[in-house]
Each structure stands twice: as C-alpha cells, then as structure tokens.
Amino acid sequence: MGIKSLLDYTGQLLEIERFRDYCPNGLQVEGRPQVKTLISGVSASQQLLEAAAEAGADAILVHHGWFWKNDALPVTGIRRRRLKFLLEREINLVAYHLPLDAHPRLGNNAQLAQQLGFDIDGWFGEQQTGAYGVLQAPSTLLDLGVRVERALRHKPLLIGEPQRQIRSIAWCTGAAQDYLQLAIELGVDAFLTGEVSEHTVHLSRESGVAFIAAGHHATERGGIKALGEHLAAHFGLTHRFIDIDNPA
C-alpha cells in the first residue's frame, strides 16, 4: 500500500481542507513509501514510537502529532530524539487533529457517543467540533459518572447535584472546557469534555448545567482507533491500536 494513496484517501474521508487547525494534518514525518503495518495511538510520544517500532510499524497514526502552532522551532532535546528515532527507522508519522474530532462516524465525538449511549442531534462550537443530543437511557449525574468510568477506564470529575436527572447532553472530547458556555446556551442538562479549568466549576454551579471532566486522553482513544481499523479494512493492512496510559 503506497503511503500517498493512504494519505489521499484519508484526507478526503476526513475533509481536512475544511479545517483551520493548530498543526499540520496528514503526513508529518516521511518514512518508507510502502505501508503494510499501521500502528495507531492517541499521542506521538516516545513511548508510542518505541512500541510501534517493536510492532513493526511502517506508519504511526495519531490524533496528537507534532509541529503545533506555538511550538518552538529548533529541533533540539526531546523533539530531536523523537524525530531521529523515526527517521532512522523510516517510519511515517501521520496525524489528524480537528478533522478527526469532527467526523460524524469515525471521529472522537461520534465514537464517544457510541461508547456512552448518546444519540447525536447536532453539532456546535468552533468548526462544528462539538456534538449535542440525548442519552439513550436517561440517568442521574452520579450514574452517568459510573457509566463513563466503566466505558473509558477513567474516573471522571462530576460538578453538579449527584441525583440530578440527565436527559440531554453536549460533549466535545479533549480540552473543550470553554465550550461549557455554548452548552449552557443550548439548554442541555450536562456537558462532558476531557479537562476542567478553575472557572469551569463556578460556571457549572451558577448555570445549573452539570459538568463532567472525563479525561483528555480517555475521551480521545476512540477516534484514532476507529480510523485505524477503518483504514486497515479498506486497504488490507495489519493494524494495532497501542494505548499508552495517560491519567490526564
């Protein structure tokens, strides 16, 4: 499988040209031209690179890649070590950020909805990267927290009355705590994301909209795993998702 064909297909699938992002989407580090084994993971850490190389990766597919908008430019220290590791082994690094959050079937928010039993009614926020809808089985905030912990293997932070009934919800994986104000305007019972800020707690309490911080990493496992599985099935590749534990 040629890396260019893989990139062309995935770029069209995720409509990457539609997004204004903080990092390059697609090929970030060029490796060998042919791909047989694809390894996916959430973030392109050194630990993932080493595990992928041991698994025989020709390409590594991640949600959090490199070369972010505000990164320092010099290739030194950790960045040098990571880049050297890939170049010496001719392993491709491929990353998709906002386009993967927003995809209506394979994206992080769509996959989270499947994991937690949410029905999607629509999309909101910056470049329509957040989703809103209803719980298939309404529950209390406390019981929803238990469901989140079981599904994501991460204990969530819950802000709100534990016995409050949750029927409608908005969510956006990762670090979208500032979307809480938009969720309030949508009129939902609760908002779920990965991270929390100090001011988020006050806004949740004063608005009456429950807030759930379920882990940045934990909420974003689903999309990259689903994308890797889809590409493997479409192109006949060997694929493995490697989860590098991250409590944040």
Side-chain angles (χ1 to χ4, degrees):
M1 176 70 225
I3 185 67
K4 185 180 184 303
S5 297
L6 182 72
L7 295 168
D8 288 346
Y9 173 82
T10 311
Q12 292 178 18
L13 175 69
L14 299 182
E15 299 181 287
I16 63 174
E17 299 302 326
R18 185 164 66 87
F19 293 87
R20 304 179 309 278
D21 215 331
Y22 320 109
C23 62
N25 286 292
L27 185 64
Q28 293 193 340
V29 179
E30 184 177 4
R32 59 183 67 99
Q34 295 295 314
V35 176
K36 294 181 181 179
T37 299
L38 178 67
I39 300 297
S40 64
V42 177
S43 300
S45 65
Q46 185 67 34
Q47 194 174 353
L48 178 63
L49 304 187
E50 292 173 2
E54 186 174 343
D58 299 304
I60 301 173
L61 176 70
V62 297
H63 180 52
H64 300 137
W66 300 343
F67 313 116
W68 297 89
K69 182 178 179 180
N70 295 320
D71 279 355
L73 294 178
V75 181
T76 59
I78 290 174
R79 177 182 287 187
R80 177 185 180 277
R81 288 195 296 274
R82 290 176 174 179
L83 190 56
K84 181 174 183 287
F85 186 90
L86 288 184
L87 292 174
E88 286 181 343
R89 291 160 180 79
E90 292 191 291
I91 300 174
N92 296 279
L93 177 64
V94 182
Y96 297 99
H97 186 233
L98 292 182
L100 185 61
D101 288 326
H103 193 272
R105 182 168 54 88
L106 300 173
N108 284 318
N109 289 302
Q111 290 296 309
L112 190 67
Q114 290 185 29
Q115 288 177 286
L116 299 180
F118 301 162
D119 287 333
I120 299 175
D121 289 337
W123 298 84
F124 75 104
E126 181 188 5
Q127 302 177 78
Q128 301 294 288
T129 54
Y132 64 90
V134 295
L135 278 67
Q136 294 168 1
S139 72
T140 65
L141 176 61
L142 183 61
D143 287 343
L144 179 56
V146 172
R147 187 192 309 180
V148 168
E149 184 172 3
R150 287 174 178 168
L152 302 185
R153 307 189 305 278
H154 182 95
K155 187 175 182 61
L157 171 69
L158 306 179
I159 306 297
E161 170 55 46
Q163 296 306 315
R164 173 174 180 174
Q165 286 292 315
I166 306 297
R167 295 180 175 83
S168 59
I169 191 165
W171 65 99
C172 186
T173 64
Q177 57 267 49
D178 288 341
Y179 275 19
L180 175 57
Q181 180 59 50
L182 297 177
I184 293 168
E185 294 168 9
L186 285 170
V188 295
D189 297 323
F191 176 65
L192 184 152
T193 187
E195 298 186 14
V196 63
S197 296
E198 192 272 348
H199 66 271
T200 313
V201 176
H202 300 298
L203 188 57
S204 171
R205 288 172 176 167
E206 294 174 30
S207 68
V209 174
F211 181 83
I212 303 169
H216 192 138
H217 177 89
T219 58
E220 297 198 318
R221 289 189 189 103
I224 203 68
K225 183 174 184 287
L227 179 59
E229 290 171 348
H230 173 83
L231 294 175
H234 186 80
F235 290 110
L237 304 174
T238 298
H239 169 255
R240 178 182 164 196
F241 172 75
I242 297 179
D243 188 27
I244 304 300
D245 182 60
N246 187 331

